[in-house]
Amino acid sequence: MIVLKSSRELEIMKEACQISAGALQVAGEAVKPGISTWEIDKIAHDFIIKCGAKPNFLGYGGFPATACISINDEVIHGIPSKKRIIKEGDIVSIDLGAVKNGYNGDNAATFICGTCSPEVERLVQTTKEALEKGIEKAVVGGRIGDIGYAVQSYCEERGFSVVRDFVGHGVGTKLHEEPSVPNFGHAGRGIRLLPGMTLAIEPMINLGTYKVKTLSDGWTVKTLDGKASAHFENTVAITNNGPVILTRV
């Protein structure tokens, strides 16, 4: 069931989303050579708690941390560790969220540690731009397929591939709600977009094949060919005045 939020509910939800955005920002600012993913996770955790919210990933389905931190060929769901040290040239995807007053925020971004190869830098930039293209289609009267098509066409035209096994989703009183929001599809198809829908739109884009595999830890997802992957996400409200990015800092 798709839950439509009232304007009052959106205002309440925006607080959780703003905390999520702030946590992502401070976590991203901490990305530098020599820091562990555990340390970055703690920074995000402490920020969320200080804001009077709770990390909504922590314990979700048994996940052991505040943030999913995925490096280079890891697509999503990387588990923070004191042993995982970030190096110059790594790209670091951080995905996290907060819950406050019963509502959730969810966002992600990929950060470049220092400088990386031009093709990987182009991957990161294209993924970020693809999120913007998808959000532009999150309008009343449109369809879910419009969002996916916008992301897919933008990335594939630039030589990148779109992950199929994982997609975006609705978000609200639950971290994952209906509907699913694929990053691929056909314009004009899928459910119609209505005012009050809140969607986590999140392109996961690969340098090589779109195929992925889940590691033995049960969480970490990597590209099948070992090539880099980038991930960006915002929580977006569909309104009569156009899409509103609730997780914009």
Side-chain angles (χ1 to χ4, degrees):
M1 180 178 71
I2 297 173
V3 180
L4 303 180
K5 285 78 175 177
S6 66
S7 57
R8 179 179 175 276
E9 287 175 304
L10 290 179
E11 281 301 312
I12 297 171
M13 186 170 167
K14 186 176 181 180
E15 185 175 3
C17 288
Q18 287 293 294
I19 294 169
S20 302
L24 181 62
Q25 183 177 46
V26 297
E29 289 170 352
V31 171
K32 60 184 178 182
I35 195 170
S36 71
T37 54
W38 181 89
E39 289 173 284
I40 294 174
D41 184 76
K42 187 175 188 305
I43 288 169
H45 177 274
D46 291 350
F47 180 92
I48 291 170
I49 297 299
K50 182 181 176 181
C51 292
K54 294 181 179 179
N56 51 15
F57 286 20
L58 184 59
Y60 186 84
F63 190 75
T66 290
C68 299
I69 304 180
S70 311
I71 301 175
N72 297 331
D73 64 333
E74 296 171 352
V75 182
I76 49 173
H77 301 165
I79 300 174
S81 169
K82 291 181 179 180
K83 298 179 180 179
R84 195 72 193 276
I85 307 301
I86 293 170
K87 304 185 299 295
E88 173 77 22
D90 284 343
I91 60 169
V92 183
S93 297
I94 303 175
D95 185 2
L96 55 77
V99 57
K100 187 169 185 181
N101 298 321
Y103 287 86
N104 289 272
D106 189 7
N107 54 185
T110 300
F111 302 92
I112 299 173
C113 181
T115 57
C116 62
S117 71
E119 65 174 356
V120 172
E121 184 176 5
R122 194 166 68 89
L123 167 70
V124 173
Q125 184 62 29
T126 298
T127 307
K128 183 178 182 180
E129 292 166 356
L131 173 57
E132 296 168 359
K133 297 295 182 182
I135 291 172
E136 287 175 3
K137 297 298 182 180
V139 295
V140 173
R143 293 188 179 272
I144 282 287
D146 300 342
I147 297 172
Y149 178 78
V151 172
Q152 181 182 13
S153 59
Y154 190 80
C155 293
E156 291 183 350
E157 285 169 3
R158 286 155 180 79
F160 302 113
S161 66
V162 178
V163 171
R164 302 299 204 273
D165 292 3
F166 299 89
V167 298
H169 52 91
V171 59
T173 56
K174 296 179 181 178
L175 179 56
H176 291 92
E177 297 183 349
E178 293 295 328
S180 294
V181 186
N183 297 301
F184 53 90
H186 300 279
R189 296 189 185 176
I191 65 164
R192 192 168 295 282
L193 303 176
L194 300 172
M197 282 184 174
T198 44
L199 308 177
I201 302 174
E202 51 177 323
M204 291 156 270
I205 309 301
N206 296 347
L207 187 61
T209 180
Y210 68 85
K211 295 181 179 180
V212 300
K213 60 183 178 182
T214 302
L215 301 188
S216 59
D217 63 16
W219 284 103
T220 308
V221 176
K222 284 193 172 190
T223 59
L224 195 60
D225 58 9
K227 293 185 178 180
S229 181
H231 179 205
F232 284 86
E233 175 185 24
N234 271 313
T235 297
V236 179
I238 297 175
T239 78
N240 287 317
N241 296 318
V244 175
I245 302 173
L246 299 176
T247 47
R248 189 188 296 280
V249 175

